[in-house]
Amino acid sequence: MVQKKVPMRQCLGCREMFPKRELIRVVRSPEGALSLDFRGKAPGRGAYLCGRPECLKKARKSRAIERALSVEVPEDVYSALEKQMEEGAHDE
């Protein structure tokens, strides 16, 4: 049986490669709206972060999400990311 290739993506904070399913995706829709995509199926340009809060801080400080998506990231997207990371830490 042929083993399926696992798609890998790079975290914008720590720059490490992870399987796509383990990362949180921030997506810019074709209309320009930003949202979090947990299923990885939403149409648009995606930027990925692993679940570590320090990676979000690094990406925020270096404006990596803005550069990756070519759009200004509103505060509510950052707070949604922080909330998701806190929930993820409790799941483990």
Side-chain angles (χ1 to χ4, degrees), residues 3-28:
Q3 208 169 23
K4 215 171 175 186
K5 186 178 173 200
V6 177
M8 302 291 280
R9 298 291 182 267
Q10 189 176 52
C11 170
L12 290 175
C14 61
R15 314 296 288 171
E16 289 180 37
M17 298 295 282
F18 292 94
K20 184 179 170 183
R21 294 224 173 247
E22 293 178 13
L23 298 170
I24 300 170
R25 182 176 186 234
V26 180
V27 66
R28 183 193 72 212

Side-chain angles (χ1 to χ4, degrees), residues 26 34 63 65-66 69 71-78 81:
V26 180
L34 282 183
R63 303 178 65 81
I65 299 172
E66 282 95 339
L69 300 178
V71 68
E72 190 70 32
V73 178
E75 190 61 38
D76 62 330
V77 172
Y78 282 122
L81 277 167

Side-chain angles (χ1 to χ4, degrees), residues 15-88:
R15 314 296 288 171
E16 289 180 37
M17 298 295 282
F18 292 94
K20 184 179 170 183
R21 294 224 173 247
E22 293 178 13
L23 298 170
I24 300 170
R25 182 176 186 234
V26 180
V27 66
R28 183 193 72 212
S29 70
E31 296 79 38
L34 282 183
S35 63
L36 298 182
D37 176 25
F38 300 107
R39 290 182 26 242
K41 303 270 186 197
R45 176 104 174 121
Y48 297 86
L49 285 166
C50 65
R52 295 191 295 243
E54 56 269 14
C55 287
L56 177 59
K57 286 180 190 149
K58 261 190 215 175
R60 190 174 194 170
K61 185 176 179 183
S62 67
R63 303 178 65 81
I65 299 172
E66 282 95 339
R67 284 185 283 117
L69 300 178
S70 304
V71 68
E72 190 70 32
V73 178
E75 190 61 38
D76 62 330
V77 172
Y78 282 122
S79 32
L81 277 167
E82 287 170 0
K83 184 179 177 202
Q84 181 61 34
M85 287 180 179
E86 286 172 9
E87 289 173 7

